[in-house]
Amino acid sequence: MLFRQALRTKPSKLTAVMTAAALAIAPMSSALAQQKGPPTLRDAETEQLLREYTRPILRAAKLEKQNIQVVIINDSAFNAFVADGRRIFVNYGAIMQSETPNQIIGVLAHETGHLAGGHLAKLREQLAQAQTQMIIAMLLGAGAMVAGARSGNANNGLANAGAAAVAGPQEMIRRTLISYQRQQEENADRAGVKFLTATGQSAKGMYDTFKRFTNDSLFAARGSDPYLMSHPMPSERVAALEEIAHSNPYWDKKDDPALQLRHDMVRAKVSAFMERQDTVYRRYPLSNDSLPARYAHAIATYRHGDLRSALAQIDALIQTQPSNPYFFELRGQALLEGGKPAEAIAPLRKAVTLSNNSPLIEMLLGQALVATDNKAYTEEAITILRAAVARESEAPLGYTQLAMAYGRKGDYAQADLASAQAAFLRGDNKTARELASRAKTRFAVGTPGWVKADDIVAAKPLPGQSSN
Ligand SMILES: [Zn+2]
């Protein structure tokens, strides 16, 4: 679990406008704007499960070749949305609050409906027709705010300017677009149910989730629910959905128990990593000896400092499921963070093998190899980390560890380049440019390393990021 890793999204200018358009009528949750820590969460187990949930839906939507990714946002509120053509964003709160795989799969099917319908592009056309100075100002403002929040730097000046620009015309644009958006939501519902039916899955989870958010529900009463704002649920929409959903022949089909268990394991993990200790033990009291509860207990124990007890609990989990890669990953991570990197190597190697070379776990293994301070591991660390960043290019951890490994080897050109790449992914353009400039002086002109460094020096900052 790399729940402290940021993923830097790299929206084009167009994407920033698209995002702004989506958020114009769907203000971002205040939690996202004000949160501390990285905007996204990275975890091999959770991402693998979400990939498996999404893959058949994307195939049914004929989007399987688009390389669409599900990005987990560090936000405890229920929300899911699409902001560009290639990512579905899901708050960890939506995973936590979905009691069954089928419920979150229904949400993913609905979002896939937006993607398949090209709704973002259509919304943009609609905006083009409705253009006013105000809307433009609002879009630019929201774009800056989004970029600021995405870079994990919600306090930068432009982000704040964005927030201010958004407040005024929001109501106006909301009215301009609301009828159009309603149509989009119904279309996405219809497409979502179609994808569920095509893949032999129940539409009940989708219906139950949306019904929960009906405009006259508890959530609406709170008035600021982000999902409700991005997905207005007037009772007509829910009624329409009920009719469509009931045409789904798999309504009564239950989730496979093995899948339900994996879902429950992920929810337990997210709780144990993200929530306060007392909350974790309230959800999973010590009297609960189910596998998910024991998972949550083991994680909470290691996070709160009792390594020896945590390891005993993890070993008991491994006995129950000896080929679960994530138990070995947890054992390795607990040892690594507990200051025992040499002992972390064996379980992390096992986790890499069992997970079919998950790049995020490879990064942890690389980190453990580097952290031993044993030069005998340097070449292996470089090989593993290079393989990992080649397949997972958006997690800064891989490059940070690669920089350390190269530094140990005395290859300062590669070390500077990897540090520059890590800084770039964290959204720290100033440091990235400085390191890349220095790397350029160390590489021979025109070599692949020099070219990569040159790309970073020349990279334009994202809108909303300071350009200094
Ligand atoms: Zn929607």
Side-chain angles (χ1 to χ4, degrees):
M1 159 98 38
L2 305 175
F3 262 170
R4 289 171 192 85
Q5 291 299 307
L7 173 141
R8 170 164 171 167
T9 53
K10 288 175 248 168
S12 64
K13 238 189 193 134
L14 181 65
T15 306
V17 173
M18 300 285 67
T19 310
L23 289 168
I25 33 181
M28 63 205 298
S29 82
S30 56
L32 181 59
Q34 294 163 8
Q35 57 150 330
K36 297 184 182 71
T40 61
L41 305 178
R42 303 304 311 270
D43 175 57
E45 181 177 18
T46 309
E47 291 176 18
Q48 177 62 28
L49 189 64
L50 290 173
R51 263 196 299 276
E52 290 178 38
Y53 287 167
T54 318
R55 196 177 295 137
I57 301 287
L58 291 174
R59 201 176 301 133
K62 301 198 167 44
L63 290 171
E64 74 268 40
K65 297 218 172 73
Q66 315 286 309
N67 192 27
I68 287 162
Q69 292 180 2
V70 182
V71 176
I72 307 158
I73 295 188
N74 182 2
D75 190 326
S76 62
F78 193 110
N79 203 3
F81 56 94
V82 291
D84 57 27
R86 53 184 209 95
R87 296 166 210 261
I88 299 173
F89 294 86
V90 179
N91 285 6
Y92 82 76
I95 302 168
M96 289 281 303
Q97 292 175 44
S98 294
E99 290 176 358
T100 65
N102 186 245
Q103 284 176 5
I104 191 80
I105 289 170
V107 170
L108 293 166
H110 171 93
E111 296 306 325
T112 303
H114 283 304
L115 288 177
H119 289 171
L120 289 165
K122 286 182 189 157
L123 181 61
R124 187 164 152 272
E125 279 168 30
Q126 199 76 6
L127 278 170
Q129 284 173 13
Q131 244 172 28
T132 68
Q133 281 306 105
M134 249 185 190
I135 289 170
I136 294 165
M138 200 274 318
L139 288 178
L140 293 175
M145 186 166 72
V146 170
R150 279 182 170 189
S151 69
N153 184 10
N155 291 326
N156 87 26
L158 270 168
N160 290 339
V166 136
Q170 188 173 302
E171 178 59 19
M172 183 180 175
I173 189 151
R174 196 180 68 79
R175 284 196 203 138
T176 310
L177 295 173
I178 197 98
S179 63
Y180 183 71
Q181 189 195 18
R182 268 189 198 158
Q183 192 54 51
Q184 282 196 346
E185 290 306 323
E186 289 195 18
N187 290 348
D189 288 342
R190 197 173 295 275
V193 172
K194 194 176 86 183
F195 304 147
L196 291 167
T197 301
T199 51
Q201 304 188 80
S202 171
K204 185 172 185 301
M206 178 181 170
Y207 174 72
D208 287 346
T209 298
F210 287 161
K211 192 169 167 51
R212 204 157 70 86
F213 285 95
T214 319
N215 278 2
D216 52 4
S217 71
L218 209 70
F219 294 94
R222 284 211 309 258
S224 61
D225 190 83
Y227 196 59
L228 202 49
M229 288 166 125
S230 63
H231 293 82
M233 314 268 172
S235 43
E236 312 89 80
R237 177 182 164 203
V238 176
L241 176 60
E242 179 160 24
E243 202 176 311
I244 307 163
H246 271 104
S247 72
N248 165 276
Y250 307 100
W251 181 266
D252 291 320
K253 192 169 164 183
K254 293 277 173 290
D255 284 301
D256 175 62
L259 192 66
Q260 179 71 54
L261 177 60
R262 286 177 62 199
H263 186 81
D264 291 340
M265 293 296 276
V266 161
R267 292 171 75 213
K269 180 188 224 176
V270 171
S271 167
F273 269 99
M274 302 307 294
E275 297 190 304
R276 290 160 43 115
Q277 197 176 10
D278 55 340
T279 309
V280 177
Y281 284 98
R282 198 173 63 242
R283 284 188 201 277
Y284 303 97
L286 283 167
S287 57
N288 181 344
D289 67 349
S290 69
L291 201 60
R294 287 163 54 202
Y295 200 21
H297 299 158
I299 295 166
T301 305
Y302 118 71
R303 282 192 64 224
H304 298 282
D306 189 345
L307 181 61
R308 186 196 292 251
S309 168
L311 291 175
Q313 294 178 47
I314 296 165
D315 287 342
L317 292 170
I318 290 174
Q319 282 213 322
T320 315
Q321 289 190 345
S323 55
N324 185 328
Y326 310 112
F327 292 162
F328 289 97
E329 180 194 21
L330 181 60
R331 191 174 210 287
Q333 184 171 6
L335 285 161
L336 181 58
E337 292 180 11
K340 300 181 186 300
E343 291 172 52
I345 292 172
L348 288 174
R349 280 194 205 286
K350 183 99 177 162
V352 166
T353 307
L354 289 172
S355 68
N356 268 323
N357 298 71
S358 155
L360 293 178
I361 301 177
E362 285 180 335
M363 287 176 194
L364 272 182
L365 173 56
Q367 184 180 7
L369 292 168
V370 170
T372 57
D373 249 333
N374 181 345
K375 281 199 171 184
Y377 286 135
T378 303
E379 283 303 328
E380 187 192 358
I382 290 172
T383 305
I384 290 171
L385 289 164
R386 290 208 74 94
V389 299
R391 282 171 294 131
E392 170 50 72
S393 58
E394 291 183 325
L397 176 69
Y399 287 108
T400 310
Q401 297 304 316
L402 202 49
M404 291 175 73
Y406 278 124
R408 196 148 297 163
K409 202 182 151 187
D411 186 341
Y412 298 114
Q414 291 287 0
D416 277 348
L417 174 59
S419 295
Q421 285 165 313
F424 184 76
L425 289 173
R426 286 193 308 267
D428 182 355
N429 282 6
K430 185 167 179 281
T431 306
R433 259 199 304 277
E434 283 167 8
L435 289 164
S437 299
R438 198 167 75 185
K440 274 177 74 179
T441 67
R442 300 189 197 267
F443 283 113
V445 176
T447 55
W450 185 91
V451 171
K452 277 185 198 158
D454 191 52
D455 284 347
I456 294 175
V457 173
K460 288 201 175 69
L462 298 174
Q465 280 187 327
S466 66
S467 54
N468 57 0

